[in-house]
């Protein structure tokens, strides 16, 4: 029972990080209907800047730089590449982000070379015991940070002007534009927010407690696991992203323990497949309807 | 996914029949000329270049399959690497020795095994139909990604089939009616050039690529291709017109998987080893799925010749760069941060994808179409070619 409890806490901690990433996908998708395949490279980029600036700025300063620059990179991508090709449909733009992802990822992996630094200095690898179960600090901090960020996002989404504009745009792009909502500003903010969330997530991913490995190509592939999280919850549902993230975290932790470590990666995707077969647009996604 | 942007100009003046016949003749001659050049290449280039060419042909076969699925039938798939692995394993197991206690084999004739590998991949593609039929767009893309992860896991755990990640297993060399595609067997000389393994495999791969090309062109311009494009453009309209949407989608997935299976069997013959991946970035990993998608996008979604050109760029560049680097002294740096041919070509095809989406959504095929306006643009099947 103790192992199980421990796994659940660990799974939720990982899940919180996946939720942050999945929320990023969902925000971008809601604002622009583009699936951002470059999300993994935003994660790597934020992490890399932490590595570069850590010596001079210390952990806290470097983390801030990493988070901000991941957000800025996302913003630049939107401004300089995606917003320039309005004639292209959302699916082609998704393919464009694949091209971006290949370039950024390869370059950062090249720069990292064989150094694989851990990022979460402030909480990494300091397990402690509560009532017979060992908990990892990374997971607890991740849960806490994700809870705060996701609550803040949800509140902003519901009550702020930006949130209203964003929801209006997600509902009907043309109508929103006609009502005076500046769609380019909404879109740009969506990308910025998604990038910031990716920059936060990498501080947890490249740790001993989370992945057991430092910043590397593996970090990028862990970020890929946020894909099933977003899809499973429904690409256009922010609540779905959170649920999807937690489900993915739990499935990974439990299957790694009870089946095998190798299997845990595919387990996540298998669960997603099952969900998709039953509900083709995810648990909370809007169903597409066709009129004939 | 649809390339409706390349709509034919409705008011195109009808080409006079005599001129049309002439352009058709010119085009046929060009194709024949290309084939003659490809047939003659082994007589002039050495084995290393032939090896590079073979790798491009592997990419070509796989890319043709993916362009049918993504461009013609409008189904985004990231599962191509999985079917590559299926074909590779299929060929190795079917032709493998029966008496090896470490790995399982059926000892079938290599030519039969090659066909078997294609069938196995096609059946696996068909088995995915319940999922692929229900999903579309990005949902399907990510769902198909799960097959790559499944393949990674199966490749690692089914060691009796794949030989395991540490050693892998050697595939049976290909032979046709007892004629080996290795350095053994009868000595053949053509114009003073000994036709050995590299040359023999070149001709085998060329034959397979031509076959793959011809079949795909036939499928595209036939009833099947029309039903795929109808489904791509509008599922509801297609079903109203009497297209069985479920069957068309399943069929496209199976055909595309069969192509990937063939490419996979060619891959093991090329590497001369079947080695499952240790991480998701390997011979059958996500990066390969993305590379195939890159070929298809760069070539122009749905275009069969475009897919070949895309393969030439994406699969050819690292090969050619590494061959040249020895002569030019490039890429001599090693260790941390070294530029490798693979890295450089990743940059190139990443940039190529971006440029194509930004400036020419029809890909290289659209550029080609523009400089040869003689093509009769009023036929509906021209749209996707």
């Amino acid at each position: 029972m103790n192992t199980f409890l421990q796994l659940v806490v660990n799974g939720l901690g990982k899940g919180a990080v996946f939720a942050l990433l999945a929320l990023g996908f969902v925000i971008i998708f809601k604002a622009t209907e583009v699936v951002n395949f470059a999300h993994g490279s935003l994660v790597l980029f934020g992490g890399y800047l932490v590595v570069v600036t850590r010596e001079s700025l210390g952990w806290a300063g470097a983390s801030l730089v990493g988070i901000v620059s991941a957000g800025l990179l996302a913003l630049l991508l939107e401004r300089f590449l995606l917003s320039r090709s309005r004639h292209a449909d959302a699916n082609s733009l998704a393919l464009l982000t694949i091209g971006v992802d290949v370039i950024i990822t390869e370059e950062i992996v090249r720069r990292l070379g064989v150094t694989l630094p851990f990022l979460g200095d402030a909480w990494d690898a300091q397990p402690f015991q509560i009532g017979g179960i060992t908990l990892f600090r990374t997971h607890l901090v991740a849960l806490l940070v994700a809870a705060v960020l996701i609550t803040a996002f949800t509140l902003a989404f519901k009550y702020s002007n930006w949130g209203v504009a964003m929801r209006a745009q997600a509902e009907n792009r043309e109508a929103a534009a006609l009502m005076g909502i500046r769609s380019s500003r909404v879109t740009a903010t969506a990308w910025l927010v998604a990038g910031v969330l990716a920059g936060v997530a990498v501080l947890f991913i490249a740790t001993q407690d989370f992945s057991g490995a430092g910043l590397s190509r593996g970090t990028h592939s862990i970020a890929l696991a946020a894909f099933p999280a977003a899809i499973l919850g429904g690409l256009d549902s922010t609540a779905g992203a959170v649920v999807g993230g937690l489900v993915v975290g739990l499935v990974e932790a439990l299957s790694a323990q009870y089946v095998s470590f190798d299997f845990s990666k595919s387990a996540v995707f298998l669960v997603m497949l099952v969900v998709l077969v039953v509900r083709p647009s995810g648990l909370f996604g809007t169903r597409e309807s066709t009129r004939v | 996914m649809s390339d409706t942007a390349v709509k034919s100009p409705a008011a195109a003046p009808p080409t006079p029949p005599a001129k049309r016949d002439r352009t058709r003749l010119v085009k046929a001659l060009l194709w024949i000329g290309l084939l003659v050049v490809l047939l003659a290449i082994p007589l002039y280039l050495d084995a290393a270049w032939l090896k590079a060419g073979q790798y491009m042909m592997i990419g070509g076969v796989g890319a043709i399959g993916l362009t049918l699925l993504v461009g013609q039938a409008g189904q985004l798939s990231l599962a191509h690497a999985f079917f590559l692995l299926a074909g590779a394993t299929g060929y190795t197991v079917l032709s493998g020795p029966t008496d090896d206690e470490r790995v399982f084999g059926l000892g079938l004739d290599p030519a039969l095994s090659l066909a078997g590998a294609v069938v196995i991949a096609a059946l696996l593609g068909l088995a995915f139909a319940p999922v692929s039929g229900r999903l579309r767009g990005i949902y399907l893309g990510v769902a198909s990604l799960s097959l790559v992860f499944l393949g990674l896991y199966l490749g690692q755990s089914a060691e009796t089939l794949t030989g395991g990640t540490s050693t892998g297993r050697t595939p049976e060399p290909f032979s046709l009616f007892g004629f080996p595609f290795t350095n053994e067997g009868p000595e053949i000389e053509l114009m003073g050039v000994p036709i050995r393994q590299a040359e023999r495999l070149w001709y085998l791969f060329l034959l397979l690529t031509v076959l793959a090309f011809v079949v795909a062109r036939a499928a595209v311009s036939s009833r099947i291709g029309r039903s795929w494009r109808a489904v791509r453009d509008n599922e509801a309209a297609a079903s109203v017109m009497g297209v069985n949407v479920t069957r068309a989608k399943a069929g496209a997935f199976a055909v595309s998987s069969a192509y990937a299976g063939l490419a996979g069997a060619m891959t093991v013959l090329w590497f001369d080893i079947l080695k499952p991946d240790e991480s998701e970035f390997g011979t059958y990993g996500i990066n390969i799925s993305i590379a195939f998608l890159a070929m298809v996008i760069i070539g122009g979604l749905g275009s069969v010749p475009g897919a070949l050109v895309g393969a030439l760029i994406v699969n050819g560049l690292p090969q050619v760069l590494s061959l040249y680097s020895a002569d030019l002294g490039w890429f001599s740096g090693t260790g941390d941060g070294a530029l490798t041919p693979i890295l450089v070509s990743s940059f190139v095809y990443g940039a190529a994808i971006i440029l194509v989406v930004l400036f020419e959504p029809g890909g290289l095929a659209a550029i080609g179409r523009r400089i040869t306006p003689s093509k009769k643009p009023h036929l509906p099947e021209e749209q996707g070619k």
Side-chain angles (χ1 to χ4, degrees), chain B residues 24-73:
Chain B
R24 199 174 290 169
L25 186 71
V26 169
K27 221 180 275 168
L29 284 176
L30 279 178
W31 280 119
I32 291 171
L34 179 65
L35 197 61
V36 170
V37 170
L38 287 173
L39 284 170
I41 277 180
L43 306 179
Y44 297 97
L45 293 182
D46 59 22
W49 282 98
L50 293 183
K51 193 96 179 154
Q54 290 159 10
Y55 195 63
M56 297 179 213
M57 292 196 256
I58 296 175
V61 170
I64 290 176
L66 194 61
T67 211
L68 294 181
L69 183 66
V70 180
Q72 292 280 330

Side-chain angles (χ1 to χ4, degrees), chain A residues 116-140:
Chain A
L116 306 174
F118 291 106
L119 294 186
D121 285 349
W123 51 71
D124 201 6
Q126 299 177 28
F128 61 97
Q129 304 261 338
I130 292 182
I133 53 177
T134 315
L135 298 173
F136 293 98
R137 214 162 281 202
T138 302
H139 295 142
L140 295 183

Side-chain angles (χ1 to χ4, degrees), chain A residues 146-171:
Chain A
V148 170
L149 286 179
I150 290 169
T151 315
F153 172 79
T154 316
L155 290 178
F157 197 62
K158 267 221 166 101
Y159 300 112
S160 76
N161 282 339
W162 172 74
V164 175
M166 169 105 179
R167 277 182 290 148
Q169 182 166 331
E171 204 64 47

Side-chain angles (χ1 to χ4, degrees), chain A residues 196-234:
Chain A
V196 165
L197 293 178
V200 174
V202 72
L203 297 176
F204 300 108
I205 296 177
T207 59
Q208 275 176 0
D209 292 346
F210 193 98
S211 60
L215 192 69
S216 65
R217 205 183 271 279
T219 313
H220 182 274
S221 66
I222 290 171
L224 267 185
F227 252 133
I231 294 270
L232 191 154

Side-chain angles (χ1 to χ4, degrees), chain A residues 79-141:
Chain A
R79 287 289 85 193
F80 285 109
L81 292 178
L82 287 117
S83 68
R84 281 184 191 262
S85 40
R86 291 189 195 284
H87 60 279
D89 66 347
N91 282 338
S92 328
L93 290 181
L95 300 178
L96 184 146
T97 60
I98 291 184
V100 172
D101 187 63
V102 169
I103 295 180
I104 299 179
T105 306
E106 292 298 335
E107 176 59 16
I108 291 177
V109 170
R110 178 183 83 87
R111 279 162 180 266
L112 282 171
V114 290
T115 55
L116 306 174
F118 291 106
L119 294 186
D121 285 349
W123 51 71
D124 201 6
Q126 299 177 28
F128 61 97
Q129 304 261 338
I130 292 182
I133 53 177
T134 315
L135 298 173
F136 293 98
R137 214 162 281 202
T138 302
H139 295 142
L140 295 183
V141 180

Side-chain angles (χ1 to χ4, degrees), chain A residues 35 110 114 224 235 269 277, chain B residues 134 138-139 146 286 336-337 343:
Chain A
V35 173
R110 178 183 83 87
V114 290
L224 267 185
L235 258 180
F269 278 92
V277 169
Chain B
R134 285 174 66 83
I138 296 298
Y139 282 91
S146 56
I286 302 173
D336 274 18
L343 196 64

